[in-house]
Amino acid sequence: MQVSKTVTAWAGAAAVISLALAGTAKADALSELATAAAKGPEVLWYESSKESQIDKVIAAFNKKYPNVKVKHIRVVGGNKMAGRVVQEVQGRGYTADLVSSGAAQTWALNDRNYLLKTDWSKLGVPKRVTPTDFAVAIAASVYVILVNTKKVPAEEQPKSWDDLTKKKWMGRIGGWVRAGAHTQMSKVWGQDKAEAELRKFVALKPFLFKSTFPMAQQVAAGEVDVAIGFFHTAQPPISAGAPLKRIALDPAPMHTIYTAVTKSARNKAGATLFLSWLVTSTGAKAYEDATNRGSHLLEGTRTHALVKEAKTAEYPAEETGTYRKVAKKFNKILSSAGAAR
Amino acid sequence: MNASASVATDGPLYRGDDLKVRWKQRLLSVMPSASLGALLVWLVIVPLVLILISSFKPTGFPMDTGWTIDNYIRTYADAEFWALVLNTIQFAVGSMVVALTIGTIVAWLVERTDMPMRGVVRVLVILPMATPPVLMAIGWVMLLSPRTGFFNDLLQGLFGLSEAPINIFSLPGMIFVEGLALVPSTFLILSPAFRNMDPSLEEAAFTSGAGLLTTIRKVFLPLLWPSIVAAGVFLLIVGFLVFDIPGTIGMPVGIFVLSSQVVYLANDSPTGLPEYGIISAMAIFFLVLVISLAWAHQRQTRRQTSFVTITGKGWRVRPLPLGRWRWIAFGFICFYFLLAVVAPVGILIWSSLTPYQAGVSAEMLGKLTLANHLDFFSNRRAVSASINSVVIALVASTAVALLSFLVSWVVVRSKLPGRKFIDVLSFLPIAIPGTLIGVGLIYVYLTLNFIPIYGSIWIIIVAYTTNYLSFGSRATHGVMLQMHSDLEEAARTSGAGWFRTTRRIVAPLAFPAIAAVWIWVFAHCMRELTSALLLKGADNTTLPVLLWGYWTGGEPNKAAAVGVWLVIAMLLCVVAWQILAARSRSASGREAA
Amino acid sequence: MLTIDHLNVHYQVSGGMFHAAKDVTLSVEHGEFFTLLGPSGCGKTTTLRSVAGLERPSDGRIVIGDQVVYDSSRKLLTPAQDRNIAMVFQSYAVWPHMTVGQNVSFPLEAARIKRTAIRSRVLKALEMVGLEDFSDRPATLLSGGQQQRVALARALVRNADLVLLDEPLSNLDAKLREQMRGELRQLQENLGQTTVYVTHDQEEALSLSDRIAFMKDGNLVEIGTPQSLYLAPRHLETARFLGQAEFFSCHSITPAGQGNVAAETDIGTIIVENSEISTEGCVLMIRPEHIEIVSAAETARPNLFDGKVTKVEFAGKSVQYDVALHTRTIQLQAPSVRLHVQGEAVKICLAPNRCVLLDGKLGT
């Protein structure tokens, strides 16, 4: 029963996609996709945000497409999600229809030939969010300066990368235990300067946090006075009224979040439809409002407004290999911070 | 009148020697151990084999092609690995010593002396176990951080110090917190052993005029040795694998341990996929460590009879009068409680009432709110998560208690072939990082989809049962070793078969240990996260997963609220358990006098 | 009632196998009180536990009544619970979580006897050991002697064909031990149950048993009645273990008429009554209480020797003397009716009917 349903959905989707590829108008392509999607099973989506947040995104989607069911399963982000996808494909032949993850993970999955290639332009998806045919950039984690406004008066607050490496932050600054920010900065600065900057940062004896959400909270609590953190992870304490302020960096390092449709998806049409909706202005806004993590590539989002003045720093997806090498080296330098004490 | 004639009228008990009965008996006597062995092989060997395969795979995924020893070279030829091992050893040994010292003292005071309020202590001592360790760690940071710590502020204010006297962000800080966190486990392993010790032994020691140190060295240590070794080995391994406390307290100042490396390789390695190959190669190190410790443990306890303290010569449970030391002991316990229970639980409650992470201060008082608790209760997912958690905890703890008891019986009591193998099997899971057990199980139940438990609470139950079997069997081993074999043999020569002997004699005598295992596993299931996250499907969310959701969603205060309710649930559970235990004790008359 | 045939038991110990019982063969008659006696480690407990089904022998055959419970050639081993036996352990093995009554009723419950029948049988068993008022007491609140009685009642209540007792009195104090010994023998006589008793205490063995099997190093050395083992042992080890004795190496043995023999020893010729042994290189044994101090005028009796008292140990009803003969000193025990003093010249007489010739050689 399940199998035949899957096959039907598959066939339907394939037909519709090929129709779409054949050059039908965008609107037609979408509505045909919607029809096929409604016949398929639930679209299963692996994503790492809270269920209550994604519920809102799905509700927004269903306003437009009430007949396409999407089910979100919150899966630990990062490598473990990709690991789970690999295991599921190997173990039972299929995994979730949609997988949201970082560049490293998405490209690793594509290396295994798990991701479906789609001609996104035919569906009206802007080129700038589809650097490749197997993944769509839906949002970005953007690094910002976090400051505790109680501990640091306005005139003292750091405004730039140079401000951050001043001696006065010795023992008062925090960062993520992974050298992601500096790694991405090496794309703009070049590896040598980025490494020098990282070493200056390490010399300040920074407090390193295993995860950036608690880090933002620790800045709010005054455990450290300033930190290099993510824009979206600082939102909860700020919303709760904590004495916490975000200051944009220029250049601003970031990690783009991609979403891909899997080859083993059981409702390919539904997955494709949902993903194309997610990067419309409605979808992007719904996603950012829910998760505080928005797309810098799509106008109308807060993230876009945040970084539009600044230069962004990120290895493009196709340079993921270089990113990995630099990250490995930088992570090691950062982990020597303890020895410096 | 001849007495024999009158007794004999009821007929002989002789049951005959016909072949059928014999075969049935033999089958029945082999059944428990055979099925136990099979079950253990299934629970333990299967994930282990997958780990072994993983460690020889270039990608670390066992179903990928190719073979390599590169993972081993990359792991063991790396000087950084051995530096981490050194750090980890310091941390693990340190916290073991702290936990053993405090745990032994508390267990002795509670079980053997007339210290006031022992019943209350017994209930409260295990409360911190239900708190997810990450919350515990952050609580301690809030108490002892040199910049914002409550105690530091307090001490600075009291004594007019210019600098914070305590720095939690240090190796001793980590050892202190981990040591305290492990005291409840130590207590639970040791307290049945203390309870089962013939009091005449310690009275004899005290009245013989021997000094306290001599008494401890000559009487307590030898008698409690199996349990102490069991606890020590267990604590050591836990110290090797635990992440939350070193991750929260050590990592900020760059003190890394092996588990930090495991977390890095699983989550954040820049390859985009978890480096299960290297993690598996590292797990082999843990396995070798555990096997050698288990072997050492076995050698230590080979001469079983020297540890026997539950003999057929009955004893009365008579608390040792402490005299004027009574209140000093009570003071010690109060101080311990302040540190281990009141402070962290207090800070947890504080956290759950603040809108964002903030230290204890008068200024924050005005901002306290019940919103986090209300949010927990209005979250529609909280109900199903609570039900899931309780079902998982109930089933897994019962399974572990039952299995541990059987394992200990086979290993310690029976002379069945292969019992050493069963012993090692039951101990191995402790060496497998939770992540790897999860990874192994995913493969097993994805592939064997005729056992449809993938994505359900049952796969989590399997994971927890496997994981906690090590603790359980260690705890029951100690008591089995203490129990004189005559007690069981007397039942068999009374004509009772294996099942009746076990049910009526061995199980009731081992009950304190079995109950301790049960409550320990229950508490840990209620808080365990790693494998639950990995095995998460659509409908098997547990409370810790929900809590983790808040935590990683940047809402630690809502996470704290969940933590508070976990502690309350645990409190109710422990109180109920104590009442039941007290009732069953008085029913059997054991402590009637 | 009990037959043990070529029983061998091996234990796994660190460094190999330990042969705990070597080719033990014996049989116990119906209603007999049979004792396995020997020093610790002699294999007596191993043998008893093999009968009980608590050890797995390596070969041999054990039959209880008409039930073959172990037969290595048939690969048959009946588990303990299916053997028609009852056992009392050295440690009492009273279950601490039960009351006295629960302890005693356990074997009957295991046999699925009806509840009403259980109650009366338990009461009877408790009456036999004098604990009828203690039925509802927690077992742990009893004294050592009372606990031993509970263990005894628990064994008797089964009314098994064979009762096995493993050093049941060794944990009691001396006075209680003597009292219990008497009660035990009385109970056994009243009930007529076949009893196998293990002890290392020779006095216990002599006073309780119908027959005694003496064991050493896993071997069954000798079986006999208490009298025969004490007065006329056939093995040096038995004579040494049971009671005190003086030993003399014999250089030669010659017939001395009337079935008597004359043994040539270091102290001179000793006449032995009715000895069957005539081999050379054997040993003559005599118990200290069978050596008499006679008057200096005595000449008629055989085995007279002159000596001098070198040590006197007064023990109330008897006195122990060390008497130096011309080649060696011997010990003897005499009633306190007449006392001798240190340094006194005495004449002693070795009772010919109590002199025993044994195979073997004395160590140097």
Side-chain angles (χ1 to χ4, degrees):
Chain A
M1 189 62 207
Q2 190 81 315
V3 174
S4 70
K5 213 170 165 187
T6 312
V7 170
T8 325
W10 212 143
V16 170
I17 292 167
S18 60
L19 264 181
L21 294 179
T24 325
K26 171 201 154 196
D28 288 349
L30 280 176
S31 69
E32 297 276 339
L33 205 56
T35 315
K39 286 180 195 148
E42 271 184 337
V43 174
L44 198 60
W45 183 20
Y46 285 174
E47 204 266 358
S48 67
S49 301
K50 269 174 63 177
E51 287 92 345
S52 56
Q53 295 175 337
I54 297 301
D55 285 350
K56 292 179 196 153
V57 179
I58 294 173
F61 172 71
N62 283 342
K63 258 188 204 155
K64 180 148 191 200
Y65 300 105
N67 297 323
V68 182
K69 295 279 165 282
V70 178
K71 186 171 177 75
H72 165 244
I73 295 192
R74 183 176 196 194
V75 177
V76 194
N79 294 354
K80 275 189 185 163
M81 181 194 293
R84 176 169 171 157
V85 168
V86 172
Q87 285 196 295
E88 286 183 340
V89 172
Q90 288 183 338
R92 67 176 177 192
Y94 68 92
T95 179
D97 302 59
L98 284 169
V99 178
S100 295
S101 204
Q105 291 80 20
T106 308
W107 262 253
L109 291 178
N110 185 57
D111 289 346
R112 288 175 172 262
N113 204 18
Y114 289 173
L115 304 182
L116 188 73
K117 294 176 172 52
T118 307
D119 184 351
W120 294 101
S121 61
K122 297 278 160 75
L123 296 168
V125 174
K127 184 72 195 140
R128 58 186 183 283
V129 298
T130 53
T132 157
D133 51 2
F134 60 78
V136 176
I138 61 160
S141 302
V142 183
Y143 288 95
V144 292
I145 301 171
L146 303 179
V147 190
N148 183 310
T149 52
K150 270 232 182 73
K151 299 245 178 183
V152 188
E155 63 279 9
E156 290 277 305
Q157 291 170 1
K159 306 279 188 295
S160 66
W161 281 102
D162 289 339
D163 288 350
L164 276 178
T165 48
K166 286 188 177 147
K167 279 271 173 295
K168 65 175 174 185
W169 302 124
M170 176 74 83
R172 298 166 64 194
I173 193 166
W176 190 22
V177 74
R178 311 294 165 226
H182 286 88
T183 306
Q184 297 292 28
M185 284 305 290
S186 73
K187 181 62 191 166
V188 174
W189 282 342
Q191 272 196 46
D192 291 344
K193 171 157 193 218
E195 187 180 330
E197 288 289 322
L198 177 62
R199 289 191 188 278
K200 275 193 229 166
F201 177 67
V202 168
L204 292 175
K205 301 184 179 174
F207 270 59
L208 302 177
F209 295 92
K210 62 182 175 185
S211 149
T212 55
F213 276 107
M215 177 168 75
Q217 291 284 351
Q218 291 294 50
V219 179
E223 193 55 52
V224 287
D225 298 340
V226 297
I228 306 174
F230 285 125
F231 178 83
H232 69 281
T233 60
Q235 191 60 49
I238 290 176
S239 303
L244 185 65
K245 186 179 165 191
R246 290 177 287 213
I247 298 168
L249 277 164
D250 188 11
M254 61 164 69
H255 299 282
T256 300
I257 311 296
Y258 293 92
T259 299
V261 181
T262 62
K263 276 193 174 160
S264 63
R266 300 205 276 185
N267 187 349
K268 292 193 178 62
T272 309
L273 180 73
F274 180 76
L275 188 46
S276 61
W277 172 82
L278 202 56
V279 288
T280 60
S281 58
T282 339
K285 213 169 154 344
Y287 187 75
E288 186 182 52
D289 287 348
T291 65
N292 299 311
R293 198 162 64 172
S295 174
H296 59 296
L297 300 168
L298 297 168
E299 286 188 33
T301 64
R302 279 179 286 146
T303 310
H304 184 262
L306 175 79
V307 296
K308 100 182 140 192
E309 306 288 319
K311 196 171 174 192
T312 59
E314 185 183 22
Y315 278 93
E318 60 272 20
E319 286 177 45
T320 299
T322 321
Y323 168 81
R324 283 177 190 162
K325 264 186 228 130
V326 180
K328 197 171 178 187
K329 184 178 171 197
F330 281 17
N331 280 339
K332 212 159 205 168
I333 294 173
L334 192 57
S335 69
S336 69
R341 262 157 211 280
Chain B
M1 194 184 86
N2 187 319
S4 95
S6 63
V7 175
T9 48
D10 294 326
L13 304 176
Y14 174 56
R15 260 195 265 155
D17 169 40
D18 68 284
L19 212 65
K20 242 187 185 163
V21 173
R22 231 174 46 237
W23 270 106
K24 215 176 118 195
Q25 285 295 342
R26 188 177 282 187
L27 209 66
L28 276 175
S29 70
V30 175
M31 274 282 282
S33 53
S35 44
L36 183 68
L39 190 61
L40 283 184
V41 166
W42 176 250
L43 284 177
V44 181
I45 292 290
V46 170
L48 271 184
V49 168
L50 280 166
I51 287 171
L52 206 62
I53 296 174
S54 279
S55 72
F56 288 108
K57 285 289 180 182
T59 57
F61 286 92
M63 289 168 91
D64 280 346
T65 52
W67 297 93
T68 179
I69 56 159
D70 194 44
N71 293 322
Y72 286 90
I73 297 170
R74 277 172 70 195
T75 305
Y76 297 107
D78 186 358
E80 199 189 345
F81 173 78
W82 296 105
L84 287 180
V85 169
L86 204 66
N87 278 353
T88 313
I89 288 176
Q90 292 178 7
F91 171 71
V93 170
S95 42
M96 176 192 80
V97 169
V98 171
L100 266 186
T101 312
I102 302 179
T104 310
I105 296 174
V106 175
W108 179 67
L109 288 175
V110 168
E111 298 296 344
R112 307 306 306 218
T113 70
D114 64 346
M115 187 187 66
M117 300 180 66
R118 286 172 299 141
V120 179
V121 172
R122 191 183 287 147
V123 172
L124 295 184
V125 80
I126 47 188
L127 274 191
M129 259 183 359
T131 321
V134 65
L135 291 182
M136 193 64 105
I138 204 78
W140 276 105
V141 167
M142 292 171 73
L143 288 168
L144 289 177
S145 145
R147 288 177 58 86
T148 57
F150 173 69
F151 281 147
N152 274 324
D153 285 353
L154 207 66
L155 290 172
Q156 273 174 290
L158 275 178
F159 300 106
L161 304 171
S162 60
E163 252 181 63
I166 304 166
N167 181 8
I168 185 86
F169 296 110
S170 61
L171 190 63
M174 291 157 66
I175 289 175
F176 167 75
V177 174
E178 182 68 40
L180 276 190
L182 289 174
V183 166
S185 301
T186 319
F187 175 85
L188 282 181
I189 299 182
L190 291 182
S191 84
F194 271 111
R195 204 174 308 167
N196 286 331
M197 199 170 70
D198 188 341
S200 61
L201 298 168
E202 71 186 341
E203 280 161 16
F206 277 118
T207 52
S208 69
L212 184 66
L213 277 180
T214 319
T215 308
I216 288 172
R217 198 162 48 84
K218 297 263 182 178
V219 180
F220 285 130
L221 283 186
L223 284 175
L224 295 165
W225 197 238
S227 294
I228 288 179
V229 171
V233 167
F234 172 80
L235 296 172
L236 208 57
I237 306 281
V238 168
F240 252 86
L241 292 169
V242 74
F243 173 71
D244 294 285
I245 286 167
T248 310
I249 298 173
M251 198 182 260
V253 290
I255 303 171
F256 295 97
V257 291
L258 281 175
S259 58
S260 333
Q261 190 68 8
V262 171
V263 168
Y264 169 68
L265 290 168
N267 293 320
D268 304 325
S269 135
T271 53
L273 285 173
E275 302 211 40
Y276 288 142
I278 297 187
I279 300 176
S280 302
M282 276 167 74
I284 302 296
F285 174 77
F286 293 135
L287 283 173
V288 169
L289 191 82
V290 164
I291 292 173
S292 31
L293 281 173
W295 180 74
H297 185 200
Q298 256 177 11
R299 276 179 64 91
Q300 280 288 346
T301 51
R302 185 178 291 162
R303 286 158 52 80
Q304 303 182 358
T305 48
S306 55
F307 304 117
V308 170
T309 52
I310 311 182
T311 60
K313 283 189 277 175
W315 70 94
R316 288 157 230 213
V317 180
R318 263 191 311 259
L320 185 84
L322 289 175
R324 63 200 168 88
W325 286 91
R326 220 171 145 229
W327 293 101
I328 296 173
F330 187 63
F332 168 81
I333 285 285
C334 286
F335 182 65
Y336 163 75
F337 259 101
L338 190 70
L339 278 186
V341 185
V342 178
V345 173
I347 203 83
L348 192 66
I349 295 173
W350 170 265
S351 268
S352 75
L353 296 174
T354 55
Y356 54 89
Q357 193 92 28
V360 181
S361 64
E363 180 214 332
M364 285 305 293
L365 276 175
K367 296 191 180 170
L368 296 189
T369 165
L370 280 173
N372 299 317
H373 292 270
L374 294 175
D375 185 81
F376 172 62
F377 282 105
S378 59
N379 185 340
R380 66 189 166 84
R381 288 184 170 91
V383 177
S384 68
S386 304
I387 295 172
N388 283 343
S389 272
V390 169
V391 171
I392 289 171
L394 278 177
V395 176
S397 56
T398 308
V400 170
L402 219 62
L403 272 176
S404 303
F405 172 69
L406 288 175
V407 164
S408 287
W409 184 82
V410 167
V411 171
V412 177
R413 274 282 170 272
S414 80
K415 288 173 180 148
L416 296 167
R419 61 186 191 279
K420 278 188 183 165
F421 176 67
I422 286 187
D423 188 22
V424 173
L425 267 192
S426 67
F427 195 27
L428 280 184
I430 198 179
I432 315 173
T435 305
L436 285 184
I437 288 196
V439 170
L441 289 182
I442 290 177
Y443 269 119
V444 174
Y445 295 102
L446 277 178
T447 317
L448 307 176
N449 50 15
F450 55 89
I451 310 175
I453 66 170
Y454 183 73
S456 73
I457 59 171
W458 294 99
I459 195 166
I460 298 181
I461 290 172
V462 171
Y464 288 179
T465 306
T466 309
N467 215 352
Y468 294 137
L469 192 57
S470 314
F471 171 86
S473 57
R474 289 318 99 174
T476 45
H477 266 26
V479 164
M480 277 301 184
L481 281 168
Q482 284 187 322
M483 200 189 301
H484 201 297
S485 59
D486 281 2
L487 293 169
E488 193 179 334
E489 289 176 347
R492 297 187 48 218
T493 57
S494 295
W498 181 85
F499 187 71
R500 184 182 292 267
T501 304
T502 304
R503 187 171 57 88
R504 294 285 309 276
I505 309 294
V506 186
L509 287 172
F511 182 76
I514 296 173
V517 167
W518 195 90
I519 201 84
W520 186 93
V521 176
F522 188 87
H524 279 71
C525 287
M526 289 301 283
R527 75 172 209 204
E528 161 64 32
L529 182 63
T530 318
S531 32
L533 269 182
L534 208 65
L535 298 170
K536 190 174 171 299
D539 313 308
N540 64 357
T541 303
T542 62
L543 273 182
V545 168
L546 194 76
L547 183 147
W548 171 85
Y550 286 128
W551 176 257
T552 56
E555 298 167 306
N557 315 98
K558 288 183 180 156
V562 181
V564 167
W565 289 104
L566 273 174
V567 172
I568 291 172
M570 196 65 210
L571 178 67
L572 292 176
C573 219
V574 175
V575 168
W577 173 56
Q578 286 295 329
I579 292 171
L580 278 177
R583 200 173 282 169
S584 83
R585 258 202 301 276
S586 66
S588 76
R590 179 126 172 229
E591 279 183 343
Chain C
M1 185 59 227
L2 167 69
T3 312
I4 301 177
D5 229 355
H6 298 288
L7 179 76
N8 283 288
V9 185
H10 291 87
Y11 285 131
Q12 181 94 46
V13 290
S14 50
M17 297 297 268
F18 174 67
H19 200 166
K22 301 172 185 162
D23 237 12
V24 173
T25 299
L26 58 87
S27 76
V28 178
E29 298 305 318
H30 189 86
E32 194 173 19
F33 196 113
F34 190 89
T35 297
L36 292 168
L37 173 72
S40 61
C42 71
K44 56 189 191 298
T45 296
T46 303
T47 307
L48 188 81
R49 288 170 57 83
S50 300
V51 173
L54 299 174
E55 297 289 341
R56 177 181 286 270
S58 33
D59 100 275
R61 187 164 179 272
I62 301 172
V63 185
I64 299 172
D66 49 8
Q67 181 190 21
V68 179
V69 293
Y70 173 68
D71 190 342
S72 55
S73 64
R74 283 167 54 198
K75 290 202 188 314
L76 184 145
L77 179 70
T78 308
Q81 63 265 29
D82 295 335
R83 300 186 181 195
N84 191 13
I85 51 155
M87 183 157 171
V88 176
F89 291 80
Q90 181 176 10
S91 67
Y92 319 153
V94 168
W95 299 306
H97 60 299
M98 295 181 177
T99 63
V100 170
Q102 285 166 339
N103 260 281
V104 178
S105 59
F106 183 87
L108 301 179
E109 287 164 30
R112 301 200 166 80
I113 305 276
K114 263 189 275 161
R115 233 160 232 300
T116 45
I118 288 181
R119 201 172 316 143
S120 65
R121 280 177 70 169
V122 166
L123 201 66
K124 253 171 223 155
L126 286 175
E127 267 168 18
M128 278 189 257
V129 297
L131 286 180
E132 60 272 28
D133 298 332
F134 290 75
S135 182
D136 296 326
R137 255 339 147 86
T140 49
L141 296 184
L142 301 183
S143 70
Q146 288 169 324
Q147 290 191 22
Q148 185 56 282
R149 284 164 209 256
V150 174
L152 201 57
R154 190 174 65 191
L156 296 177
V157 79
R158 253 196 119 183
N159 198 27
D161 288 351
L162 186 61
V163 179
L164 307 174
L165 301 158
D166 183 11
E167 309 226 16
L169 306 182
S170 64
N171 275 325
L172 300 175
D173 62 51
K175 205 160 176 196
L176 203 55
R177 190 154 56 215
E178 214 154 300
Q179 185 195 337
M180 281 296 288
R181 197 196 292 169
E183 287 180 26
L184 207 57
R185 180 71 216 196
Q186 193 61 46
L187 267 174
Q188 199 267 340
E189 268 172 21
N190 288 346
L191 295 174
Q193 279 172 312
T194 312
T195 303
V196 179
Y197 187 94
V198 159
T199 182
H200 65 273
D201 183 326
Q202 35 165 317
E203 238 179 276
E204 237 170 71
L206 292 173
S207 64
L208 279 170
S209 318
D210 292 324
R211 276 193 308 150
I212 298 170
F214 174 68
M215 291 185 72
K216 191 163 186 269
D217 300 331
N219 292 304
L220 199 157
V221 178
E222 189 170 352
I223 301 180
T225 60
Q227 291 91 330
S228 69
L229 280 200
Y230 188 79
L231 297 176
R234 276 177 297 177
H235 295 270
L236 201 52
E237 291 101 322
T238 320
R240 277 200 168 134
F241 185 81
L242 266 180
Q244 288 170 292
E246 284 295 330
F247 297 96
F248 305 90
S249 288
C250 303
H251 309 308
S252 70
I253 290 168
T254 48
Q258 298 160 346
N260 296 351
V261 294
E264 235 14 87
T265 70
D266 287 343
I267 61 165
T269 308
I270 301 175
I271 303 293
V272 181
E273 260 182 31
N274 299 321
S275 180
E276 293 153 9
I277 299 175
S278 55
T279 34
E280 277 188 46
C282 65
V283 174
L284 185 146
M285 178 219 82
I286 185 160
R287 305 258 175 223
E289 65 270 26
H290 300 144
I291 305 175
E292 206 179 331
I293 298 180
V294 294
S295 77
E298 177 69 65
T299 51
R301 294 166 66 170
N303 299 347
L304 294 172
F305 298 94
D306 289 319
K308 196 163 107 184
V309 176
T310 54
K311 197 174 152 198
V312 182
E313 235 172 76
F314 182 76
K317 59 183 175 186
S318 69
V319 190
Q320 193 144 313
Y321 299 99
D322 280 7
V323 175
L325 305 179
H326 65 281
T327 49
R328 63 177 274 191
T329 300
I330 61 168
Q331 228 170 40
L332 63 88
Q333 218 175 342
S336 50
V337 59
R338 256 181 68 204
L339 294 177
H340 304 272
V341 295
Q342 196 171 335
E344 188 183 335
V346 291
K347 185 174 263 183
I348 60 168
C349 172
L350 279 57
N353 63 329
R354 290 287 176 253
C355 286
V356 179
L357 285 176
L358 301 164
D359 265 327
K361 241 188 182 113
L362 287 179
T364 44

